[in-house]
Amino acid sequence: MQDVRDLLLAIERVVTADVDRQRSRDAALPGATRVAPALPWTHRTGRPAKGDWREIFRNRRLDAAPAETVFERNLGHDRAVYFFVGSCAYPEGLAVLLFSFTRGSVARSTFNPYDTGFLKHVAIPRRPADTWDDTAKTQHIQSTMGWTRDLHAFGGPYLAAHFRDPIDYVRRPQDGVPDFEPYHGLGGGDRRAWTIEARLHDDVTIEPNGQELLEIWLEDQSLLRELPVDFRRYARIKRDGMTLAESVAQRIERKISEVSP
């Protein structure tokens, strides 16, 4: 686990090595510091192999499952509920839940500036490494991992260091890339290589009258009947001609514009 000051220093070293990138970061930083705190956390579900997504609403919780990678387990994180910050970067599933968590409600949670599961098979160093085995991957996760209580402090500089317009972090498609290469040195062909992943290491209770659940986005209208009645007011259906991820991205962009003009 890294102190947020060390995470920011790692970004700063990469940014200041490139004059154009430093100028872009300086111009983007005021907007990025407004955008980052407004980004909801998204949890995508409904992939058949992952179980019955309707159980989430019947049980009114997201169960912390066994950690997806040996790297996380090596670092002592045995269970997790996975979220992407400000994106629906996981490309499969029928539903997307959007949350707004307070610092108090994410006390036992961590983040990395990429999908840790993506590291298992796809994400690779852009520059050749001596070794890229499980030990090296565990060390990479550890060197880029922070507590999500520090995510707002990290998020603004991170967005500004990678996008000339910070809202492009939300707009870029699944196969998109930032304007500047990820500071952490990984590539891999889609946005999971640079979208921030947050993990809660306990079960997450979901209440229809709570403060944290914002919206439930569904792949089609027929799924609305699968929700308990008291959750239906949170439901939104993806827009015609758009993917579920595109619909959610458009919604997040609109919500950000409402709170951080």
Side-chain angles (χ1 to χ4, degrees), residues 28 52 58 65 72 93 105 119 148 150 191 200 205 212 215 229:
D52 189 343
R58 292 170 186 153
E72 297 163 81
S105 64
L119 190 66
T148 52
D150 298 323
R191 63 173 300 138
L200 285 170
T205 300
E212 296 174 342
E215 294 177 348
V229 172

Side-chain angles (χ1 to χ4, degrees), residues 100-166:
S100 176
F101 289 109
T102 64
R103 287 185 64 174
S105 64
V106 296
R108 288 199 67 241
S109 59
T110 55
F111 76 89
N112 284 84
Y114 51 80
D115 177 358
T116 51
F118 195 57
L119 190 66
K120 181 166 54 177
H121 297 303
V122 182
I124 57 173
R126 290 192 309 274
R127 296 174 180 81
D130 292 335
T131 60
W132 191 233
D133 56 14
D134 286 354
T135 298
K137 293 176 183 180
T138 299
Q139 291 172 345
H140 195 284
I141 287 179
Q142 185 175 35
S143 71
T144 56
M145 181 184 292
W147 294 110
T148 52
R149 63 174 180 253
D150 298 323
L151 190 50
H152 288 176
F154 175 86
Y158 178 74
L159 266 61
H162 293 84
F163 297 93
R164 297 184 188 278
D165 180 353

Side-chain angles (χ1 to χ4, degrees), residues 15-38:
V15 168
T16 55
D18 180 336
V19 173
D20 179 47
R21 187 168 190 166
Q22 184 171 6
R23 288 173 178 163
S24 174
R25 186 277 308 275
D26 293 346
L29 189 58
T33 56
R34 292 192 297 271
V35 167

Side-chain angles (χ1 to χ4, degrees), residues 12-90:
E12 186 69 12
R13 285 195 292 264
V14 172
V15 168
T16 55
D18 180 336
V19 173
D20 179 47
R21 187 168 190 166
Q22 184 171 6
R23 288 173 178 163
S24 174
R25 186 277 308 275
D26 293 346
L29 189 58
T33 56
R34 292 192 297 271
V35 167
L39 294 172
W41 292 18
T42 75
H43 178 84
R44 190 158 188 176
T45 186
R47 180 184 175 192
K50 294 290 186 178
D52 189 343
W53 66 278
R54 294 167 295 186
E55 290 297 313
I56 293 171
F57 302 101
R58 292 170 186 153
N59 298 331
R60 297 173 182 254
R61 71 174 182 272
L62 291 167
D63 292 326
E68 291 189 356
T69 68
V70 66
F71 325 125
E72 297 163 81
R73 296 191 292 275
N74 287 344
L75 296 172
H77 300 297
D78 296 327
R79 301 168 67 236
V81 181
Y82 294 88
F83 302 85
F84 282 112
V85 178
S87 167
C88 206
Y90 187 70

